C-alpha cells in the first residue's frame, strides 16, 4: 500500500489485562492533547471512556469506547489519532475483537507493578491472529513495587526477539520522574504539567542506556540492508533514521517497541503520542469478498465509498448509534449507501464523532477515519455499506463461542411482550451474546448465552436500564430424555357410550428400543382391516404426541419403535380422535410396563490449556464424568484436550476452569449424543 494516501490518520486500540490502567492512559493522552481540561479518574467515574452506569459502578471498562484527538509530534506532523479503549476482563473480549477489526495499531498496556498477566498473553495472541502491529507501554511506573526490568524480562518471554526497548525509566516508584530515550541518548525529566525538559542521565542509567543503544541500533539496522551496510562501514545512523526503519518493521510486525511512563503523573505520555504517530502505521488495505473472489480495498479518499459498521450502541436519547470506519472513499452528510448483505438503502444523516458521550458533528469522513451515525434501519455490527451494485462482504470473523448461559424470566406480562425485541437490540450491540428459545424442556425457556457470569449480569442490567425490560434469571434446565428399557406390548383403547354418538377405538401396540440416536418411528403392521387405513394417521399422531409428552420421569421419549399390529373399530362410533387417544393410552401403558432409561445430553469438549496444567485439567474432567478422547501438544506450548462430558457437569465449567488455570484455560463445546444417566433426575 502507498501509505501516503492517508499518512496522518492513526487508529489505535488500547489493549491489555483488566485493571492495568488502559482507561487512565487514554485519559492522560486526551488531557495532554488539550482535549479535556483535566484528567478524570476511574475511581470517581469521571473518565471520558467509561460512562455507562455499569462501568462506573464496577470501576472497569465493559465496552470499547472511542476518543479522537489531534497531536503534533516531534517530526512536525499533526496526526488525527482515534483511541479505542477496550475492556480487559475476559468476559468482554468481544469488545477487543471489535476494536482490532478496525485498528491499525495496538498499544499493549502492561502494569509495571503486576507485570505480564494472563490477559496480556491473551491479547498479544489475539493481535497476532488479527495481524495488527503492536507496541508496548509499561505504565504505573510511579507506583509502589514497580519494576521495569522485571517486566521487560517477562515481555521477552512472551514477545521473543522482536522486542525493542526504546526507553528506560529515570527513577522508580515515588522517584520516577522521567525517561531515557535510547535512540537519541537523551534524558527527559517531566514537570507537573506533563511537559518535559532535558536532564543529564545518571551514571548508572547512562551506562545501561549506551549498551542498550548499541543493541537496539543493531537490531533495527539489521532489518534494512542499505542502512546495515552503511552501519558496518562506520556510519552512525541518526535517531530519525532509526525511527524511519523501525516504523517499517513495526508495520511488518517484526519489531515491537517498548515505552515506559505513568498515566497518573503524565510522565512519558507525550512520548507515547509522538511514537504512535511516528512509528504507528496509517490505514491499511482491507480484504473483502465479492462472490468467490477476494479483493483488496485501498483506503483512498477519492475512491468509491465503502463503510464498515463495526459496533452499535443503544443510546436512550438518540436510539441506535452505529460506529463505522470508512474503508474507502469519503462519506458526506446525507449520503445514501446500500447494505451489501440485505440490499437495504441507508441514509447517513447527522454524521458525528463520539468522544465518550460527547457528539462532535462532522460534514465529511475520509478513508481511514472512524465516525458514527444514528438510526440506521437495517445495518447491525459487521455490516458493509457501499454504492449500489457493489455486493462485497467482509470475510466472516471468528466467533467467540458462548460458554455460560442463564434462563430469563420476565417479571410482568408487559416485560414478556417486549423481551424478544429488546434481546434483538441487545445482541445487535454485543454480537458475543446469543439468544436461544429452548423448546426441549417444559416450560419453554428463553436462554441468554455469553462469555461468563459477569457478561450476562451486565447484559441483564442493561436490558432493564436501556431497554426497559425487567427479568429474573434461573439456571438453564438440562434437556433430559427417556427411552424404553425393553420390549413391551400394550393395548390402548377408548370406549365411551353416553347417549348419542359414542367413541370407540382399540389398538394393539408393540414398543421396543431403537438404535441410540435413531429417533422414534411408527410401523404399520395391521392386516385384514382391523384398523381402517384412514385411521392409521391418527394412530401415528397419537403415538408421537404421547412420546413427546414424556415418560414416567416426565421427559420426552426417544429412540423407540412403535408397531401397531392389530385393533378394533366401530362403523359408527370410531373416529380420528378416538384412535389418536387410544394410541396415546397404549404408548403410556407400554412405557409403564417396560420402564424407561433416563438419557442425558453429552457434549464434545475441547480444552486449550498450558501444558504444565494438563494434569489438573484432566483430573477435573474425570471428576465431571468426562471420557478423555485425545490430547495434543500445540506449537505455542499449549495442550488441546478432547473429551466427552455430560451437559449437566458443564453449567459452571467456564468459571471453574478459569479458577483452576488462573484464567489461562479456554474451552469450546458442541452437542455430541445422548447417553444413559447414572441416576434418575427429578421430574421437571
Amino acid at each position: 500500500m502507498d501509505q501516503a494516501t492517508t499518512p496522518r490518520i492513526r487508529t489505535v486500540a488500547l489493549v491489555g489485562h483488566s485493571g492495568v490502567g488502559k482507561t487512565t492512559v487514554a485519559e492522560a493522552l486526551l488531557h495532554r492533547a488539550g482535549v479535556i481540561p483535566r484528567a478524570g479518574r476511574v475511581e470517581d467515574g469521571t473518565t471520558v471512556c467509561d460512562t455507562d452506569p455499569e462501568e462506573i459502578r464496577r470501576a472497569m471498562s465493559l465496552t470499547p469506547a472511542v476518543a479522537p484527538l489531534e497531536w503534533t509530534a516531534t517530526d512536525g506532523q499533526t496526526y488525527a489519532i482515534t483511541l479505542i479503549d477496550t475492556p480487559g476482563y475476559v468476559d468482554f473480549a468481544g469488545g477487543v475483537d471489535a476494536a482490532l477489526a478496525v485498528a491499525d495499531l495496538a498499544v499493549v498496556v502492561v502494569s509495571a507493578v503486576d507485570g505480564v498477566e494472563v490477559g496480556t498473553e491473551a491479547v498479544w495472541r489475539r493481535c497476532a491472529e488479527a495481524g495488527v502491529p503492536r507496541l508496548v507501554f509499561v505504565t504505573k511506573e510511579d507506583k509502589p513495587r514497580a519494576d521495569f526490568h522485571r517486566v521487560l524480562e517477562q515481555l521477552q518471554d512472551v514477545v521473543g526477539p522482536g522486542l525493542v526497548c526504546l526507553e528506560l525509566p529515570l527513577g522508580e516508584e515515588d522517584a520516577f520522574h522521567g525517561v531515557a530515550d535510547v535512540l537519541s541518548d537523551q534524558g527527559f525529566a517531566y514537570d507537573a504539567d506533563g511537559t518535559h525538559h532535558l536532564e543529564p542521565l545518571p551514571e548508572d542509567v547512562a551506562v545501561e542506556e549506551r549498551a542498550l543503544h548499541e543493541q537496539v541500533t543493531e537490531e533495527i539496522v539489521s532489518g534494512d540492508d542499505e542502512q546495515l551496510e552503511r552501519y558496518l562501514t562506520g556510519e552512525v545512523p541518526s535517531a530519525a533514521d532509526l525511527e524511519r526503519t523501525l516504523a517499517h518493521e513495526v508495520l511488518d510486525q517484526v519489531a515491537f517497541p517498548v515505552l515506559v511512563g505513568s498515566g497518573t503523573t503524565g510522565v512519558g505520555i507525550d512520548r507515547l503520542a509522538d511514537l504512535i504517530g511516528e512509528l504507528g502505521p496509517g490505514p491499511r488495505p482491507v480484504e473483502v469478498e465479492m462472490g468467490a473472489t477476494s479483493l483488496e480495498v485501498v483506503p483512498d479518499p477519492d475512491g468509491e465509498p465503502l463503510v464498515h459498521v463495526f459496533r452499535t450502541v443503544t443510546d436512550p436519547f438518540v436510539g441506535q448509534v452505529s460506529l463505522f470506519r470508512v474503508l474507502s472513499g469519503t462519506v458526506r452528510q446525507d449520503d445514501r449507501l446500500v447494505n451489501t448483505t440485505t440490499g437495504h438503502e441507508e441514509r447517513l444523516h447527522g454524521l458525528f464523532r463520539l468522544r465518550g458521550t460527547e457528539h462532535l458533528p462532522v460534514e465529511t469522513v475520509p478513508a481511514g477515519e472512524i465516525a458514527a451515525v444514528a438510526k440506521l434501519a437495517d445495518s447491525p455490527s459487521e455490516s458493509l455499506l457501499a454504492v449500489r451494485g457493489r455486493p462485497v462482504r467482509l470475510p466472516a470473523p471468528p466467533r467467540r463461542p458462548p460458554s455460560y448461559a442463564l434462563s430469563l424470566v420476565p417479571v410482568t406480562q408487559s416485560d414478556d411482550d417486549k423481551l424478544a425485541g429488546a434481546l434483538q437490540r441487545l445482541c445487535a450491540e454485543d454480537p458475543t451474546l446469543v439468544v436461544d428459545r429452548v423448546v426441549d424442556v417444559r416450560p419453554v425457556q428463553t436462554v441468554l448465552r455469553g462469555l461468563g457470569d459477569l457478561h450476562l449480569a451486565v447484559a441483564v442490567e442493561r436490558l432493564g436500564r436501556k431497554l426497559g425490560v425487567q427479568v429474573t434469571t434461573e439456571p438453564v434446565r438440562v434437556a433430559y430424555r427417556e427411552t424404553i428399557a425393553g420390549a413391551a406390548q400394550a393395548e390402548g383403547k377408548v370406549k365411551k357410550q353416553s347417549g348419542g354418538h359414542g367413541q370407540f377405538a382399540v389398538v394393539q401396540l408393540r414398543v421396543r428400543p431403537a438404535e441410540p440416536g435413531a429417533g422414534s418411528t411408527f410401523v404399520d403392521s395391521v392386516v385384514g382391516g382391523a384398523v381402517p387405513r384412514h385411521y392409521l394417521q391418527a394412530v401415528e399422531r397419537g403415538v408421537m404426541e404421547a412420546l413427546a409428552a414424556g415418560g414416567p420421569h416426565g421427559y420426552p421419549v426417544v429412540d423407540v419403535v412403535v408397531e401397531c399390529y392389530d385393533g378394533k373399530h366401530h362403523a359408527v362410533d370410531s373416529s380420528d380422535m378416538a384412535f389418536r387417544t387410544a394410541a396415546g393410552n397404549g404408548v403410556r401403558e407400554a412405557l409403564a410396563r417396560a420402564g424407561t432409561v433416563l438419557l442425558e445430553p453429552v457434549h464434545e469438549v475441547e480444552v486449550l490449556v498450558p501444558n504444565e496444567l494438563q494434569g489438573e485439567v484432566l483430573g477435573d474432567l474425570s471428576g465431571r464424568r468426562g471420557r478423555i478422547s485425545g490430547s495434543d501438544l500445540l506449537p505455542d506450548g499449549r495442550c488441546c484436550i478432547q473429551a466427552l462430558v455430560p451437559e449437566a457437569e458443564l453449567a459452571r465449567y467456564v468459571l471453574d476452569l478459569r479458577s483452576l488455570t488462573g484464567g489461562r484455560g479456554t474451552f469450546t463445546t458442541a452437542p455430541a449424543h445422548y447417553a444413559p444417566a447414572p441416576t434418575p433426575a427429578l421430574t421437571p
Side-chain angles (χ1 to χ4, degrees), residues 619-643:
D620 181 70
L621 288 172
S622 297
R624 297 174 186 273
R625 300 188 283 125
R627 292 192 295 112
I628 309 301
S629 54
S631 178
D632 301 307
L633 183 62
L634 303 180
D636 62 4
R638 291 184 297 170
C639 181
C640 179
I641 301 169
Q642 300 92 32

Side-chain angles (χ1 to χ4, degrees), residues 95-161:
V96 178
D97 296 340
L100 294 180
V102 295
D104 300 311
L105 176 71
V107 173
V108 181
V109 182
V110 181
S111 166
V113 177
D114 300 310
V116 173
E117 300 174 86
V118 58
T120 314
E121 299 173 6
V123 297
W124 192 269
R125 189 161 49 242
R126 183 69 190 93
C127 288
E129 293 168 353
V132 177
R134 283 141 277 164
L135 68 79
V136 179
F137 185 68
V138 180
T139 189
K140 297 188 178 181
E141 185 63 18
D142 60 315
K143 303 297 183 183
R145 299 185 296 109
D147 189 340
F148 177 74
H149 292 86
R150 171 177 56 85
V151 175
L152 205 58
E153 291 177 2
Q154 294 173 346
L155 285 168
Q156 194 72 51
D157 293 337
V158 174
V159 179

Side-chain angles (χ1 to χ4, degrees), residues 249-270:
E249 295 176 357
V250 170
L251 176 63
D252 294 336
Q253 302 174 60
V254 295
F256 308 100
V258 180
L259 310 175
V260 63
S262 167
T264 304
T265 66
V267 174
I269 292 298
D270 57 349

Side-chain angles (χ1 to χ4, degrees), residues 42-68:
V42 172
E43 297 82 358
D44 299 335
T46 55
T47 64
V48 169
C49 293
D50 288 353
T51 58
D52 283 352
E54 295 83 12
E55 294 178 313
I56 294 172
R57 183 163 52 252
R58 294 174 172 84
M60 63 189 297
S61 299
L62 304 177
T63 57
V66 297

Side-chain angles (χ1 to χ4, degrees), residues 57 84 94 125 142 255 258-259 273 318 343 358 390 404 407 448 515 518 650 655 671 676:
R57 183 163 52 252
I84 308 179
R125 189 161 49 242
D142 60 315
V258 180
L259 310 175
V318 180
E358 187 180 6
R390 196 183 183 195
Y404 191 75
S407 174
L448 183 64
E515 290 294 321
L650 295 174
L655 311 181

